[in-house]
Amino acid sequence: AQTVTQSQPEMSVQEAETVTLSCTYDTSESNYYLFWYKQPPSRQMILVIRQEAYKQQNATENRFSVNFQKAAKSFSLKISDSQLGDTAMYFCAFYSGNTGKLIFGQGTTLQVKP
Amino acid sequence: NAGVTQTPKFQVLKTGQSMTLQCAQDMNHEYMSWYRQDPGMGLRLIHYSVGAGITDQGEVPNGYNVSRSTTEDFPLRLLSAAPSQTSVYFCASRVSQGSTDTQYFGPGTRLTVL
């Protein structure tokens, strides 16, 4: 069974600085995707960034980028130039292309301080 | 498109009562799923469906039933509510097109079982 682990329950960063959120996963599959979702106080789940396992190049979306280390099964999220609106809970998720299941980590609460 | 809609937004039940959480999407997505979110545990998959007439169990299916009679609707039924089912419930639909694979989440339903 797949597992996703986020070892940092809470983090904080000063506005305009850079922060990295950690995520590790465990799987024996080769066909999978990895996601980072943001959940603000409104509880809506918002897709931040997506990485296909077969791609070696790290995904980037504006201020958000990932460090995908496939052999180490690590998938960290880097937020550059942090903004107050980045304050939210962030979830790492593993999607199995074989079973269609999406498995989430426990989440990391990020607070951006002015 | 309205995206993924869920009703109700809030619900209070007494132990032993039954109810159905509604979920609908207007994006013609084949894949839909239900999650529950509990503090410190992230999101856990309850049930999912890869198309009309097809459903399967996720990580925590006990106490819940689902059906998928149409592509648009994926209701979640609590047969006999228990306090352990107090949680926030999210419905999601997924689209997979080529290299694109994205989950769309509804706004959530906060359920309290007394």
Side-chain angles (χ1 to χ4, degrees):
Chain A
Q2 296 88 5
T3 59
V4 179
T5 302
Q6 293 178 248
S7 59
Q8 305 153 313
E10 297 179 352
M11 295 190 70
S12 64
V13 63
Q14 292 296 131
E15 194 175 8
E17 293 187 345
T18 297
V19 64
T20 299
L21 309 183
S22 301
C23 173
T24 58
Y25 61 96
D26 188 24
T27 185
S28 58
E29 297 184 15
S30 59
N31 178 23
Y32 60 90
Y33 298 78
L34 296 164
F35 301 87
W36 278 98
Y37 284 92
K38 169 184 177 182
Q39 186 182 44
S42 66
R43 297 209 312 265
Q44 179 68 293
M45 296 291 286
I46 302 167
L47 178 65
V48 174
I49 199 164
R50 172 200 311 112
Q51 175 80 42
E52 292 87 345
Y54 62 87
K55 288 188 177 179
Q56 293 185 337
Q57 186 174 5
N58 289 327
T60 299
E61 287 288 343
N62 300 316
R63 297 184 294 108
F64 299 88
S65 61
V66 298
N67 184 5
F68 176 43
Q69 300 292 325
K70 191 172 183 177
K73 296 179 181 173
S74 171
F75 183 62
S76 60
L77 174 70
K78 185 172 81 171
I79 305 174
S80 305
D81 186 25
S82 297
Q83 301 175 359
L84 297 178
D86 294 333
T87 292
M89 179 167 281
Y90 287 82
F91 289 97
C92 177
F94 170 96
Y95 177 79
S96 167
N98 296 334
T99 65
K101 291 183 179 181
L102 181 67
I103 307 297
F104 285 84
Q106 303 90 330
T108 297
T109 299
L110 175 67
Q111 184 175 9
V112 180
K113 298 179 178 179
Chain B
N1 287 349
V4 180
T5 58
Q6 289 182 239
T7 56
K9 289 187 178 180
F10 302 93
Q11 183 69 50
V12 179
L13 294 177
K14 294 181 179 179
T15 296
Q17 287 184 316
S18 62
M19 80 158 296
T20 299
L21 306 184
Q22 301 293 342
C23 175
Q25 52 93 7
D26 60 357
M27 298 173 282
N28 201 33
H29 292 170
E30 292 294 328
Y31 183 97
M32 297 184 72
S33 53
W34 276 101
Y35 296 87
R36 59 177 290 173
Q37 183 177 20
D38 302 296
M41 302 193 72
L43 281 84
R44 291 182 293 170
L45 181 65
I46 305 172
H47 285 286
Y48 67 104
S49 169
V50 298
I54 306 169
T55 63
D56 205 349
Q57 296 181 349
E59 301 171 88
V60 288
N62 293 340
Y64 307 95
N65 275 356
V66 292
S67 61
R68 185 89 181 274
S69 57
T70 66
T71 299
E72 294 78 18
D73 300 301
F74 191 44
L76 178 71
R77 297 183 184 86
L78 281 71
L79 305 176
S80 178
S84 61
Q85 293 179 305
T86 293
S87 187
V88 179
Y89 291 84
F90 287 94
C91 178
S93 72
R94 166 186 167 244
V95 61
S96 179
Q97 296 173 340
S99 62
T100 298
D101 197 300
T102 304
Q103 297 262 344
Y104 295 86
F105 284 85
T109 295
R110 183 177 291 277
L111 175 68
T112 302
V113 182
L114 303 176

